[in-house]
């Protein structure tokens, strides 16, 4: 089971996972907990593998875990050679490998979905020139018709208020308006008389 898990992580390029998952210490080697996320399982199994490599005695002898694995492999090869049937996989390890296969399938499904999203984003049309990019950035967003109607109604209401205020000003200040008009007429008449006098002297 352990070798199969290592092979799966190497195929998925998670040996070790980069970056490592948060919260997993270097001495956390509980990779048998296959209910954890796949990246956590990969890091724990990698920690266990490093621990086994560092456990080699100074005299060059094989580590206890390596000796156990070599002994088990020798027993299995000898049993097959003499025709002794090998026992079936224990239920615990069988459930472990099945649960691990589910974690791998979930991870691969997520990876495919991410790759599809990236490919779809890459296929979206992009501006061909700098001018196109600037124009796209400066182009105002589409205004909904309902919003345009609201703006038009607001403008009509403001225009109506201004007109009413102008009429009210005229009504309240008739004298001033009349004096202003008379002044304008007087100025115009004076200007015409002066112009006629100038023409007469010529």
């Amino acid at each position: 089971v352990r070798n199969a898990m290592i092979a799966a992580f190497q195929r998925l390029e998670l040996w070790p996972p980069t970056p490592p998952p948060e919260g997993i210490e270097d001495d956390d080697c509980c990779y048998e907990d296959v209910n954890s996320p796949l990246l956590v399982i990969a890091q724990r199994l990698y920690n266990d593998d490093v621990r086994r490599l560092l456990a080699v005695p100074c005299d060059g002898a094989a580590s206890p875990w390596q000796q156990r694995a070599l002994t088990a492999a020798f027993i299995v090869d000898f049993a097959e050679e003499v025709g002794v049937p090998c026992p079936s996989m224990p239920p615990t390890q069988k459930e472990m490998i099945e649960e691990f296969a589910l974690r791998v399938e979930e991870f691969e499904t997520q990876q495919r979905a991410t790759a599809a999203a990236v490919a779809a984003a890459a296929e979206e049309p992009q501006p061909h020139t700098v001018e196109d990019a600037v124009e796209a950035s400066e182009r105002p967003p589409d205004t909904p018709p309902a919003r345009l109607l609201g703006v038009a109604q607001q403008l009509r209401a403001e225009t109506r208020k201004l007109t009413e205020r102008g009429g009210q000003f005229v009504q309240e200040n008739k004298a001033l308006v009349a004096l202003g008009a008379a002044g304008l007429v007087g100025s115009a008449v004076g200007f015409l008389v002066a112009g006629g006098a100038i023409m007469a002297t010529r």
Side-chain angles (χ1 to χ4, degrees):
V1 174
R2 184 177 180 277
N3 292 336
M5 294 173 66
I6 292 177
F9 287 132
Q10 290 175 344
R11 178 177 62 84
L12 297 173
E13 298 182 355
L14 297 177
W15 191 252
T18 304
E22 297 181 358
I24 304 301
E25 303 295 336
D26 293 340
D27 58 350
D28 188 351
C29 304
C30 301
Y31 67 91
E32 296 91 347
D33 183 12
V34 290
N35 291 320
S36 301
L38 190 67
L39 296 181
V40 174
I41 301 174
Q43 186 62 50
R44 288 173 173 173
L45 183 54
Y46 183 80
N47 293 344
D48 179 75
D49 195 60
V50 172
R51 181 185 62 175
R52 297 189 182 201
L53 293 175
L54 295 178
V56 177
C58 297
D59 57 1
S63 66
W65 291 280
Q66 188 176 3
Q67 291 178 358
R68 186 185 305 175
L70 293 174
T71 302
F74 173 78
I75 294 175
V76 171
D77 292 341
F78 181 80
E80 291 181 352
E81 188 68 24
V82 299
V84 177
C86 294
S88 59
M89 180 181 295
T92 303
Q93 292 189 354
K94 184 177 181 180
E95 294 176 0
M96 179 179 173
I97 197 67
E98 291 176 353
E99 192 69 24
F100 176 73
L102 291 177
R103 299 287 85 78
V104 172
E105 183 178 358
E106 293 172 357
F107 179 81
E108 291 180 330
T109 300
Q110 183 180 3
Q111 292 295 103
R112 287 193 294 267
T114 302
V118 172
E123 292 177 357
E124 293 182 358
Q126 301 294 332
H128 297 289
T129 63
V130 176
E131 290 77 7
D132 294 339
V134 173
E135 181 182 357
S137 63
E138 295 179 351
R139 186 182 302 119
D142 295 337
T143 305
R147 185 177 177 183
L148 290 175
L149 180 60
V151 172
Q153 292 176 350
Q154 185 177 1
L155 290 175
R156 285 198 295 270
E158 294 295 333
T159 304
R160 190 180 304 110
K161 290 180 181 179
L162 292 175
T163 304
E164 292 175 355
R165 290 177 182 175
Q168 183 179 359
F169 177 81
V170 172
Q171 293 295 331
E172 293 176 352
N173 301 273
K174 289 182 178 180
L176 294 176
V177 173
L179 291 175
L184 291 175
V185 172
S187 298
V189 171
F191 178 78
L192 291 175
V193 171
I198 294 173
M199 295 297 295
T201 56
R202 291 181 179 181

